[in-house]
mmCIF file of all heavy atoms in Angstrom:
data_model
loop_
_atom_site.group_PDB
_atom_site.id
_atom_site.type_symbol
_atom_site.label_atom_id
_atom_site.label_comp_id
_atom_site.label_asym_id
_atom_site.label_seq_id
_atom_site.Cartn_x
_atom_site.Cartn_y
_atom_site.Cartn_z
ATOM 1 N N GLY Q 8 -38.300 6.713 -111.775
ATOM 2 C CA GLY Q 8 -37.766 6.597 -110.439
ATOM 3 C C GLY Q 8 -36.487 5.915 -110.284
ATOM 4 O O GLY Q 8 -36.048 5.291 -111.129
ATOM 5 N N THR Q 9 -35.918 6.161 -108.976
ATOM 6 C CA THR Q 9 -34.657 5.455 -108.620
ATOM 7 C C THR Q 9 -34.894 3.956 -108.647
ATOM 8 O O THR Q 9 -34.077 3.265 -109.172
ATOM 9 C CB THR Q 9 -34.093 5.946 -107.282
ATOM 10 O OG1 THR Q 9 -34.218 7.384 -107.288
ATOM 11 C CG2 THR Q 9 -32.771 5.538 -107.036
ATOM 12 N N THR Q 10 -35.987 3.691 -108.029
ATOM 13 C CA THR Q 10 -36.258 2.185 -107.778
ATOM 14 C C THR Q 10 -37.187 1.604 -108.801
ATOM 15 O O THR Q 10 -37.110 0.594 -109.422
ATOM 16 C CB THR Q 10 -36.664 1.965 -106.325
ATOM 17 O OG1 THR Q 10 -36.183 2.982 -105.522
ATOM 18 C CG2 THR Q 10 -36.415 0.589 -105.838
ATOM 19 N N ASN Q 11 -38.354 2.391 -108.935
ATOM 20 C CA ASN Q 11 -39.435 1.919 -109.886
ATOM 21 C C ASN Q 11 -39.881 3.163 -110.760
ATOM 22 O O ASN Q 11 -39.618 4.333 -110.388
ATOM 23 C CB ASN Q 11 -40.804 1.655 -109.035
ATOM 24 C CG ASN Q 11 -40.428 0.385 -108.278
ATOM 25 O OD1 ASN Q 11 -40.256 -0.688 -108.765
ATOM 26 N ND2 ASN Q 11 -40.565 0.636 -106.952
ATOM 27 N N LEU Q 169 -39.907 11.269 -100.150
ATOM 28 C CA LEU Q 169 -38.733 10.331 -99.937
ATOM 29 C C LEU Q 169 -38.782 9.144 -100.642
ATOM 30 O O LEU Q 169 -39.627 8.222 -100.434
ATOM 31 C CB LEU Q 169 -38.663 10.113 -98.377
ATOM 32 C CG LEU Q 169 -37.567 9.418 -97.764
ATOM 33 C CD1 LEU Q 169 -36.239 10.192 -97.992
ATOM 34 C CD2 LEU Q 169 -37.694 9.113 -96.240
ATOM 35 N N GLY Q 170 -37.924 9.043 -101.812
ATOM 36 C CA GLY Q 170 -37.857 7.872 -102.584
ATOM 37 C C GLY Q 170 -36.883 6.885 -102.316
ATOM 38 O O GLY Q 170 -36.525 6.701 -101.083
ATOM 39 N N GLY Q 171 -36.387 6.193 -103.298
ATOM 40 C CA GLY Q 171 -35.321 5.197 -103.145
ATOM 41 C C GLY Q 171 -33.993 5.794 -102.833
ATOM 42 O O GLY Q 171 -33.266 5.288 -101.991
ATOM 43 N N GLY Q 199 -34.801 5.467 -99.375
ATOM 44 C CA GLY Q 199 -35.008 4.133 -98.898
ATOM 45 C C GLY Q 199 -33.763 3.256 -98.834
ATOM 46 O O GLY Q 199 -33.657 2.395 -97.955
ATOM 47 N N GLU Q 200 -32.904 3.439 -99.803
ATOM 48 C CA GLU Q 200 -31.770 2.620 -99.916
ATOM 49 C C GLU Q 200 -30.898 2.709 -98.568
ATOM 50 O O GLU Q 200 -30.283 1.720 -98.266
ATOM 51 C CB GLU Q 200 -30.957 2.949 -101.103
ATOM 52 C CG GLU Q 200 -31.482 2.552 -102.352
ATOM 53 C CD GLU Q 200 -31.889 1.029 -102.492
ATOM 54 O OE1 GLU Q 200 -31.171 0.217 -102.096
ATOM 55 O OE2 GLU Q 200 -33.071 0.882 -102.884
ATOM 56 N N THR Q 203 -32.411 0.563 -96.172
ATOM 57 C CA THR Q 203 -32.053 -0.829 -96.566
ATOM 58 C C THR Q 203 -30.589 -1.158 -96.128
ATOM 59 O O THR Q 203 -30.415 -2.303 -95.525
ATOM 60 C CB THR Q 203 -32.228 -1.146 -97.977
ATOM 61 O OG1 THR Q 203 -33.542 -0.679 -98.389
ATOM 62 C CG2 THR Q 203 -32.116 -2.579 -98.440
ATOM 63 N N GLU Q 234 -34.524 -6.218 -97.995
ATOM 64 C CA GLU Q 234 -35.445 -5.274 -98.649
ATOM 65 C C GLU Q 234 -36.934 -5.797 -98.435
ATOM 66 O O GLU Q 234 -37.842 -4.974 -98.152
ATOM 67 C CB GLU Q 234 -35.161 -5.251 -100.099
ATOM 68 C CG GLU Q 234 -36.126 -4.432 -101.001
ATOM 69 C CD GLU Q 234 -36.054 -2.900 -100.822
ATOM 70 O OE1 GLU Q 234 -35.063 -2.450 -100.294
ATOM 71 O OE2 GLU Q 234 -37.010 -2.265 -101.172
ATOM 72 N N LYS Q 237 -37.915 -5.087 -94.938
ATOM 73 C CA LYS Q 237 -38.123 -3.558 -94.805
ATOM 74 C C LYS Q 237 -39.494 -3.209 -95.312
ATOM 75 O O LYS Q 237 -40.140 -2.476 -94.601
ATOM 76 C CB LYS Q 237 -37.029 -2.820 -95.544
ATOM 77 C CG LYS Q 237 -37.107 -1.278 -95.292
ATOM 78 C CD LYS Q 237 -36.263 -0.537 -96.167
ATOM 79 C CE LYS Q 237 -36.913 -0.306 -97.571
ATOM 80 N NZ LYS Q 237 -36.148 0.610 -98.369
ATOM 81 N N CYS Q 238 -39.951 -3.709 -96.488
ATOM 82 C CA CYS Q 238 -41.219 -3.374 -97.003
ATOM 83 C C CYS Q 238 -42.328 -4.067 -96.351
ATOM 84 O O CYS Q 238 -43.537 -3.671 -96.527
ATOM 85 C CB CYS Q 238 -41.250 -3.561 -98.479
ATOM 86 S SG CYS Q 238 -40.066 -2.593 -99.362
ATOM 87 N N GLY Q 302 -43.359 9.092 -102.678
ATOM 88 C CA GLY Q 302 -42.137 8.298 -102.657
ATOM 89 C C GLY Q 302 -42.285 7.048 -101.807
ATOM 90 O O GLY Q 302 -42.902 7.101 -100.786
ATOM 91 N N GLY Q 303 -41.824 5.908 -102.289
ATOM 92 C CA GLY Q 303 -42.069 4.586 -101.703
ATOM 93 C C GLY Q 303 -41.675 4.571 -100.256
ATOM 94 O O GLY Q 303 -42.243 3.936 -99.460
ATOM 95 N N THR Q 304 -40.602 5.347 -99.869
ATOM 96 C CA THR Q 304 -40.086 5.325 -98.374
ATOM 97 C C THR Q 304 -41.209 5.915 -97.463
ATOM 98 O O THR Q 304 -41.069 5.602 -96.245
ATOM 99 C CB THR Q 304 -38.682 5.843 -98.343
ATOM 100 O OG1 THR Q 304 -37.844 5.224 -99.298
ATOM 101 C CG2 THR Q 304 -38.033 5.691 -97.024
ATOM 102 N N LYS Q 306 -44.021 5.093 -97.199
ATOM 103 C CA LYS Q 306 -44.885 4.073 -96.716
ATOM 104 C C LYS Q 306 -44.224 3.475 -95.437
ATOM 105 O O LYS Q 306 -45.054 2.646 -94.786
ATOM 106 C CB LYS Q 306 -44.946 2.953 -97.738
ATOM 107 C CG LYS Q 306 -45.639 3.350 -99.012
ATOM 108 C CD LYS Q 306 -46.011 2.121 -99.882
ATOM 109 C CE LYS Q 306 -46.114 2.411 -101.246
ATOM 110 N NZ LYS Q 306 -46.009 1.103 -102.096
ATOM 111 N N MET Q 307 -43.117 3.649 -95.017
ATOM 112 C CA MET Q 307 -42.542 3.163 -93.860
ATOM 113 C C MET Q 307 -43.296 3.690 -92.655
ATOM 114 O O MET Q 307 -43.275 4.939 -92.516
ATOM 115 C CB MET Q 307 -40.976 3.383 -93.715
ATOM 116 C CG MET Q 307 -40.200 2.414 -94.534
ATOM 117 S SD MET Q 307 -38.499 2.891 -94.351
ATOM 118 C CE MET Q 307 -38.115 1.891 -93.021
ATOM 119 N N ASP Q 329 -46.626 5.935 -104.375
ATOM 120 C CA ASP Q 329 -45.772 5.445 -105.511
ATOM 121 C C ASP Q 329 -46.299 6.062 -106.886
ATOM 122 O O ASP Q 329 -45.619 6.000 -107.824
ATOM 123 C CB ASP Q 329 -46.095 3.939 -105.648
ATOM 124 C CG ASP Q 329 -45.251 3.173 -104.672
ATOM 125 O OD1 ASP Q 329 -44.262 3.810 -104.118
ATOM 126 O OD2 ASP Q 329 -45.624 2.090 -104.343
HETATM 127 P P1 AMP E 1 -39.412 5.368 -105.168
HETATM 128 O O1 AMP E 1 -38.074 5.941 -105.574
HETATM 129 O O2 AMP E 1 -40.386 6.338 -104.858
HETATM 130 O O3 AMP E 1 -39.885 4.276 -106.125
HETATM 131 O O4 AMP E 1 -39.139 4.614 -103.790
HETATM 132 C C1 AMP E 1 -38.495 3.433 -103.690
HETATM 133 C C2 AMP E 1 -38.167 3.158 -102.325
HETATM 134 O O5 AMP E 1 -39.299 2.968 -101.477
HETATM 135 C C3 AMP E 1 -37.299 2.016 -102.179
HETATM 136 O O6 AMP E 1 -36.216 2.219 -101.310
HETATM 137 C C4 AMP E 1 -38.172 0.925 -101.497
HETATM 138 O O7 AMP E 1 -37.524 -0.011 -100.743
HETATM 139 C C5 AMP E 1 -39.093 1.788 -100.683
HETATM 140 N N1 AMP E 1 -40.463 1.223 -100.461
HETATM 141 C C6 AMP E 1 -41.312 0.845 -101.392
HETATM 142 N N2 AMP E 1 -42.473 0.293 -100.848
HETATM 143 C C7 AMP E 1 -42.121 0.189 -99.486
HETATM 144 C C8 AMP E 1 -42.899 -0.114 -98.229
HETATM 145 N N3 AMP E 1 -44.075 -0.659 -98.396
HETATM 146 N N4 AMP E 1 -42.255 -0.004 -97.128
HETATM 147 C C9 AMP E 1 -41.099 0.591 -96.989
HETATM 148 N N5 AMP E 1 -40.444 1.043 -97.965
HETATM 149 C C10 AMP E 1 -40.930 0.886 -99.258
#
Side-chain angles (χ1 to χ4, degrees):
T9 312
T10 330
N11 292 299
L169 191 56
E200 288 308 311
T203 309
E234 173 75 17
K237 183 190 83 172
C238 292
T304 305
K306 290 192 204 164
M307 284 182 85
D329 284 334

